[in-house]
Each structure stands twice: as structure tokens, then as C-alpha cells.
Amino acid sequence: MKLLNKILIANRGEIAVRIIRTLKSLGIRTVAIYSHQDKDSLHVRMADEAFSLGGNILKDTYLDIAKIIHIALQSGCDGIHPGYGFLSENAKFSKAAADAGINFIGPDAETIRLMGDKVMARQTMREINIPMITGMEGSKEEILRHKKNLQYPLLVKAASGGGGKAMRIVENLEDLSENLDIASREALNYFGNDLLYVEKYLPDARHIEVQILADHYGTILILGERECSVQRRYQKVIEESPACSLSAETRDSLYRSANKIVKKIQYTNAGTLEFLVDPEGNHYFLEMNTRIQVEHAVTEMVTGLDIVELQTQVAAGNKLVLKQSDIQISGYAIEARLYAEDPTNDFMPSPGKIELYHQPSSPGLRIDSGIDGPLELYPEYDPLIAKLIYYSHSRQESIDGLKNALRDFTLLGIKTNREFLIEVLEDKAYVRNMISTSYLEKISSKLNDNLLRKKSEFNRMRILSAWLGWKLTNFDQQIGTSVWERIGPWRMTLRKSVIFSERQYDIFIHNYSAENINFQIDGVEHNLIIKSRNSGNIIFELDGKWSNASLSGSSAFEDSICLEGLEFKLRPLDSLPLQPWLTDHNDDGQSGERLVKSQLHGKISAMKAKVGLLVKKGDILFSLDAMKIENKVTSAYDGVIKEVKVKEGDQVQINQLILILEEGKISNIT
């Protein structure tokens, strides 16, 4: 079998790491590319060679076709793997590689162009009688000219995109213009094309996709289907294979449609056909992703195949040796996407520093990640941290295994959706597979309330004991032999004070050794026995109960503790004051003023606020791009805009002052 010699991975993060691992196993040399921010990333360290793209702006780095092709030629590559996102579905990139004599690991430019153009793709579907939802493509202005003829609710999405980026649900005509604005900006930023597509939105449908693989000799393989209905911000969060909700008839119908499409467009390499399936089992073509999917791992787990390896073989000109009868679906796999985001705040991205990172391991568990330790996550990139995939014999066993893995995953320092994912996996509707694309939107508030209740009911003495044992252990490792050094910050009172859950706790330490700590809280004596400890973990016994906790400090002068999968924050009172980004971002200014500050690093993509503008509570003030998502910031008060400190296009930092609002000047607004 012919193989390529050296392949450039035109991507970053977990997908770059995942591709490099397979290529190394095949004996193929790898070339990584990186922005300044990514110079120490895992994919850079794993590759045989790595080249800087210079800068951090996407158009000058991971979206710069000429620069990437130049690096591929300079390094002697005979292949390019685009991964997903960025240039993976860019016809110009595929053509540039081919023109340079480099094998593009994906379909040819004409196929990418055909399936990337929503109008042409839908025309092709009509020719072979594939069911579709009605819709239209165009610029914002073109779509607005037809706004009264559109069916609401509708879905707005990038005409040249995918992966849940630049997608908005519009409930009524009045909200159309604003959402077209946002989607077009996101589409231009992420895909380099602001053309949009709108179609009727089916809230009770399931999102089902079919994985295909085809070679240059007419072989077409259907590698099963995936259930991808659990979504937030129109992007998948949990995926499964197989889709156990499908009847045999619906599954066969989906496979027939997928096969017809692949034959019609003479597709080669890996691809995914995406469909909506309504409650009656009818399916409707959505789009084709002409690349590897984020969720390809669940298909690999149930088929036993390595899709990246097969992609590479096809790109090298080999004929697939597998036949459709060789494809056997066995067992059940579920994938959860671990994101840097805040589920309690509309899943707002949460860039920042990961202070403590440790992946669990167990039979049946696979973790795809671009991280192997503490790392700064930047707002320029997608918030995906890792994918946890669990494989077992049944859906319930996979659910249970994935829950345990998420509980054991140590990730402290930033907000993530880890706890929220556990709540989803425990939700009765999810367990019973009663889901649709609107499921997460309907259930999120309830799941967040459940999580808050669990935390409030958790035994606080265990939390405080874990924190105390960790603090004394870390302090003890750093001190000398002098009695004054040993007494340290407790020199006079032997007291340790901490704020937890809006209450101050004063902990009086009577004595401690490497294994035992005697202390008192609220007049009650306790004995803490340390069983094991290191810089990020402590195993201890308190009142006869053993516990295992992960702990980390942070630059925000808060300590994070994770017990039984739940994360808690504590602030030692001997630390410096809280950093500004932990305070209310709508601070008091002069008398009657409110200072509105940025909660994220990012770029001001739209500024609605102007000096003298009267606003009501809930009105949009500005939009902030962070981690490839445009976040709308609304006013917490009625008032008038007194001063605007930034303009559209400005990059802003956490806690940077954006505008000043004078409260209570709006009584004449109706």
C-alpha cells in the first residue's frame, strides 16, 4: 500500500494532536503550524517539525492559505490534513494544495465548492429527490427583501460554514435583521464569507448524521450514524453512535439517501451527511460536511476503524480494501465535549488559565485533547478543551462510564461545562432518550438549579477540611526549621480564615503533623488524617469518612476545590484582595453612575451604545467576540449612556471599562 511521506496538519488543538498520533503510528512524518500564542502547545511539541505562522490574528495565521502552502512546500510535505474548522471546507485551499502538487486529505476543490454552496447543494439534492426543508441563500439585504415570505421560527446560518458557527434561531420577523447582522459577522470572522442561508426551524426534530467514506475507485462505505441532538448555541455538546431512536426503516432510508448523494457528486475521502429527522421518522437533508467531524471518535469506537488512517490511504490513491459487509456496528459510544464556558451565563466563553489539569483513565474511556497540563486559553480560538468518549455494550453503561470519567476529570482555574455535562447525563429525559435539537435549551435552567442545590447541600466541613489539609501541606513543604518559620502566617493566633459561600470561617489549628491536623470550627473539634497528598490532590479521612479532593490556587487569589465531581471556590483572607475580574462588572462610579466593564477578553464586534442614548434594563449595549462566538451584553439598569470608552473593532481585556451609564434617567421612556 502506498503511503504519503510527510503531512502538514493545517490546524491546532485537539484535532491536530489526534491526527498526529495516527500519522506517527503509520510512520508518516508530521509538520505542525502555530501562531505566537500556540508556540508551546501540545500539537507543536508532538510534531516532527513545527513552523511559526507569525502573529495571532486568524486571517494572518490559520486562515492564511498562501503562508500555509509555502510552509508545506518549504518543509517537503506531500500531504496536507486540514482537520475541521478553519480552512477544512475551503475550496481555494484544496485547489492551492493541488496546484502545488500536494495531496489534500479531503475531497477535491470542486466538490467542496458544490457542497459548500447551499444553493448548488440543494439543487443537486432536488435532482436526486432528497427531502429538504425550504430555505434561501443570500446577503443580509437579499434575505430581508423576502422577510415576509419566510416561515418562522427559522434558522439563520453561514452559507459557507458548519460546526454550529454563525447560527441563530429567529422566532419572529422583528428579530430577523439583528440576527442576520450577528450571523454575517460571525460567518465572515470564522469562514471568511458573510453569505447566509435561512431555512424553516423544526424545534422537535433530531439531528442525525451519517458518516461516509469513499475512494477514487467507486467504493462507498456507510460507517453508521450519529445522534447529535444535544446542542447549545446550535453546536453539538453530546453525540452518540448508534442513534438508538431510529427505526430500521428510517435508518435504511437515511443510508440510501447518503449513498445516492455520494454517488451523484462522485465524492471521495471522509464526509458526513447531516439530516433532521422529525418525530414521524421523516428525514430532511441539512448539509454535507466535506471534512472529518469533531464527533468522528464515536464512530471509530463502534466500528473499530481509524478514520484518519483511512482518509490518508484514500488521499494517497489507494483503493479501500473494506467492503460494506465488513462494517459492523458493535456496542455503544457517547462523546461529551468539554468546553471553557459558563452554563449559568448562557454558555458564555470562559478564556483564561487552566491551573490544574489531569485526565482520568479507565477501560472503555478515550480522551482526545490538545492539552496536557496548565495552559492559557485565548479568546481567539474555539472553547473546546477536550472530548471524552466512553464505549461499552449498552447505552446506559456508556452513560454511567462517561459520568464517572467527568467526575474524575480534574480541570481547575476557569469555568467549564464539566459539572453541567454530568447533570445532562443524569437527566431522566436524556437517559430515556427523549431529546431533540431544542432539548438543551428547554432544560438548561433546571439543570443549573439542580447543580446549585447539590452544591448548597454538600457537607461544608469536608470542603473546609480538604482545603485546610492542602494549605497546611503546601505550607509545610515550603518552610524551614525555625520555629518562627513554622508558625508563619499563624504566628500569634494559629488561625486560618477563609471566605466560603459568602461566609467567613475561622479555623483554629491546635497542632498538626505530616499525617494529623487537629482544628476547631464554630467551637467543634475535628481531627483530620492525611492519607496521601501532592501539589494538586489530597486524600484524607474526616470523622471516619475518606475523601479524595483536587485543589488549585489561581492568579485571582481564589482557591478551587473539586470533591465528588463538584467544584467549589474559597478565598483565603490572608491573600491579597480579589482581582477585579471577580467583582461585579457593573460597578458603582460617581453618584448615580454605573461602570460597565468587559467580562471577557475579546473584540468589540458591534457597539449599540452612544452618548446620550436612553436605555432600559435588558437593552443591548454592545457585542463582544470571544472564542468564535458573538456575545451580546445587555444593560442591567435603566438610564442614559454618559460615556463610551471603546469603539467597534477594539480589542478589550477582562475588567476593561467599556462605558459609563447614568442610572435612573429614563422615566420619560415608554
Side-chain angles (χ1 to χ4, degrees), residues 265-289:
I265 64 176
Q266 297 182 352
Y267 191 88
T268 58
N269 216 276
T272 299
L273 281 307
E274 303 207 354
F275 300 91
L276 285 180
V277 177
D278 68 19
E280 288 72 43
N282 303 305
H283 71 272
Y284 305 91
F285 172 80
L286 279 177
E287 62 185 3
M288 183 175 194
N289 292 136

Side-chain angles (χ1 to χ4, degrees), residues 399-428:
I399 290 173
D400 293 339
L402 190 53
K403 280 192 299 186
N404 290 333
L406 285 164
R407 289 192 182 103
D408 293 340
F409 203 116
T410 303
L411 206 167
L412 300 176
I414 59 170
K415 291 180 179 177
T416 75
N417 67 337
R418 186 187 59 80
E419 296 168 311
F420 182 82
L421 289 169
I422 297 172
E423 293 300 310
V424 175
L425 295 170
E426 290 183 339
D427 180 58
K428 290 181 179 178

Side-chain angles (χ1 to χ4, degrees), residues 106-169:
D108 60 37
E110 192 55 42
T111 302
I112 295 175
R113 186 177 293 110
L114 170 63
M115 299 313 291
D117 185 315
K118 297 296 190 291
V119 173
M120 291 175 61
R122 292 173 70 83
Q123 178 58 39
T124 303
M125 298 306 110
R126 290 190 192 96
E127 292 173 6
I128 53 177
N129 298 315
I130 302 297
M132 291 179 294
I133 302 168
T134 57
M136 68 166 292
E137 181 190 56
S139 65
K140 173 193 171 184
E141 292 72 25
E142 289 170 328
I143 293 171
L144 285 175
R145 284 199 293 270
H146 297 85
K147 61 184 180 182
K148 292 184 179 178
N149 299 323
L150 299 173
Q151 292 180 288
Y152 297 87
L154 57 81
L155 183 65
V156 178
K157 55 187 178 181
S160 300
K165 304 297 186 186
M167 294 180 69
R168 299 275 159 172
I169 294 173

